[in-house]
Every structure is written in structure tokens, then in C-alpha cells.
Amino acid sequence: ENVLTQSPGTLSVSPGESATLSCRASQSVRSNYVAWYQQKAAQAPRLLIYGASYRATGIADRFSGSGSGTEFTLTVSRLEPEDFAVYYCQQYGSSPITFGQGTRLEIK
Amino acid sequence: QVQFVQSGAEVKRPGASVKVSCRASGYTFTNYDLHWVRLAPGQRPEWMGWIRPRNGDTKYSQKFQDRLTITRDTSASTAYMELSGLTFEDTAVYYCAKKGGATDWFDPWGQGTLVTVSS
């Protein structure tokens, strides 16, 4: 299976600054089929990005995704208080679908 | 809008089975595959399998192949996930999620159902 490794495990950033989250796959992801989700406490995950770089409906343009092959990045610009949460990457290019272990974005 | 309502929290003994339901609304239930994902404490999300409501076809992760059954009732726009042979390691929040488009990104997700396995 394609193992996803996210880094860092925890990222401390001040509101108004930018955060860069990384997701590395153990094998190349077919057609860059990578999605990013945000999860807040006691809530379900929410889709942010699919196809590595396409923003989901209703997602602020402060969220952007990039990457290809085995290296993918989620960038959150101009951090707002509601952005502090856990972020997961997912690959759906091969079976089984797999997720990264998450990056916790916390307020500095 | 598309939304899912899942059944309530469950407490089960080791060796028992649990069946979680996921009722869909806001879209044509038979048009999109429905997936199940679980999130255990301190673990990464784990994809379990999907069902194609149109014809009942299923695909399961090899990890759960022997003890997972996903079914659906199209008249009730509801999918069901049944996991048997529960162990303490099955304690997790179980989510249903709709296939987002032509490929398997998930949007939206149900609110989650906590399954606790305890003796």
C-alpha cells in the first residue's frame, strides 16, 4: 500500500502568518490523486483540496495545494483563528485508499 | 444540501458485532459510491470499504475483508456498515462519506459514530 507521511507532526504558527504542510508518499500517486482534509475537535473531516490542487466548493482561497509524484504540499496563507486544526492528506490513486497521520496546526 | 445522519454511539463487548447506519439526503443516493472510514484515538484515518448503492457492489480493504459487510437500502437512502469479531483495537469513530466526484475523494462526511469496545 502507498504509505503517506506528513510533516511536521505539529506546527506552531501565529495568526496572520502562513503555514506549509507536507505529505510524502512511499510510491508515486497516480494522476496526483491527493486530497487534503481539515478536522476540528468533535467534528467530521472537511474536504479542502482534491486532485492535489483543486479547492473544494466553499473553501477560502487562503488554502492552496500543490505537488506531484510523491511530494505534496498544503499551504494556508494569512492564518485565521478558525484554521487551527488537524490536517490529513489522502491518496486515492491506488487501492487501498490511505491517509497520512496528520499535522496539528496550533496557535503560536 | 448533501448531508448524512449516522446512528448513535455503541458500546460492545469483545467478539460482538456492531452495525452502523448512515442516512443520506440532499442528493440522489444511487448516483454516488458511499465509503466508510474510521478514526481511532491517536491513529491515522483508515479506509474500510465502499458500496455502490445503484447495484450493491462492494469493495473492502483487505484488512477488514473477513469481518466487514456494507449494505444499503435504496428505499431509505441508507447505507449500513457491520463489523464483526470486535476487539479493543476497533474502538474508533466510524464515518460514512460520499465519493466526491469521478474519483474517490470524500465530500461530505457523516457526523461519525463512536464505537467503544469494552469488557
Side-chain angles (χ1 to χ4, degrees):
Chain A
E1 71 179 46
N2 201 342
V3 178
L4 302 186
T5 302
Q6 292 186 239
S7 60
T10 301
L11 186 58
S12 299
V13 184
S14 300
E17 297 184 339
S18 294
T20 301
L21 288 65
S22 175
C23 177
R24 173 174 293 177
S26 62
Q27 307 164 31
S28 184
V29 179
R30 180 177 66 93
S31 300
N32 297 328
Y33 284 158
V34 168
W36 289 90
Y37 300 88
Q38 176 193 68
Q39 186 175 34
K40 299 179 182 179
Q43 294 185 20
R46 178 175 71 141
L47 175 72
L48 301 173
I49 301 288
Y50 64 94
S53 61
Y54 298 92
R55 256 188 312 275
T57 302
I59 299 302
D61 60 7
R62 300 181 293 101
F63 293 89
S64 62
S66 63
S68 64
T70 61
E71 300 281 346
F72 298 89
T73 300
L74 174 71
T75 301
V76 188
S77 304
R78 306 181 304 280
L79 278 161
E80 306 249 350
E82 63 266 26
D83 298 334
F84 293 93
V86 178
Y87 292 81
Y88 295 104
C89 59
Q90 172 215 357
Q91 71 79 25
Y92 50 98
S94 61
S95 186
I97 292 167
T98 51
F99 290 83
Q101 82 279 21
T103 289
R104 179 176 301 278
L105 183 56
E106 63 176 31
I107 299 176
K108 187 174 182 180
Chain B
Q1 75 281 19
V2 177
Q3 64 178 23
F4 299 102
V5 177
Q6 297 185 218
S7 48
E10 303 261 14
V11 179
K12 296 292 182 181
R13 301 290 190 204
S17 298
V18 67
K19 191 171 186 177
V20 177
S21 67
C22 169
R23 179 167 53 85
S25 62
Y27 74 103
T28 302
F29 180 65
T30 51
N31 281 1
Y32 294 90
D33 297 348
L34 205 88
H35 292 253
W36 289 89
V37 178
R38 76 179 187 180
L39 186 50
Q43 302 295 313
R44 64 184 67 203
E46 199 167 24
W47 173 74
M48 301 179 71
W50 58 253
I51 187 166
R52 186 155 292 160
R54 182 178 74 245
N55 57 15
D57 283 352
T58 55
K59 181 172 183 177
Y60 302 141
S61 167
Q62 197 165 5
K63 175 175 180 175
F64 301 102
Q65 182 75 39
D66 295 337
R67 59 191 189 101
L68 174 64
T69 304
I70 302 175
T71 57
R72 94 293 189 218
D73 178 351
T74 55
S75 67
S77 297
T78 300
Y80 302 90
M81 185 283 300
E82 184 169 20
L83 190 63
S84 63
L86 292 171
T87 69
F88 299 123
E89 287 67 42
D90 292 316
T91 294
V93 179
Y94 290 76
Y95 295 94
C96 60
K98 173 181 158 290
K99 179 175 179 176
T103 48
D104 292 314
W105 36 275
F106 303 146
D107 183 43
W109 298 50
Q111 86 275 17
T113 296
L114 174 61
V115 175
T116 302
V117 182
S118 174
S119 55

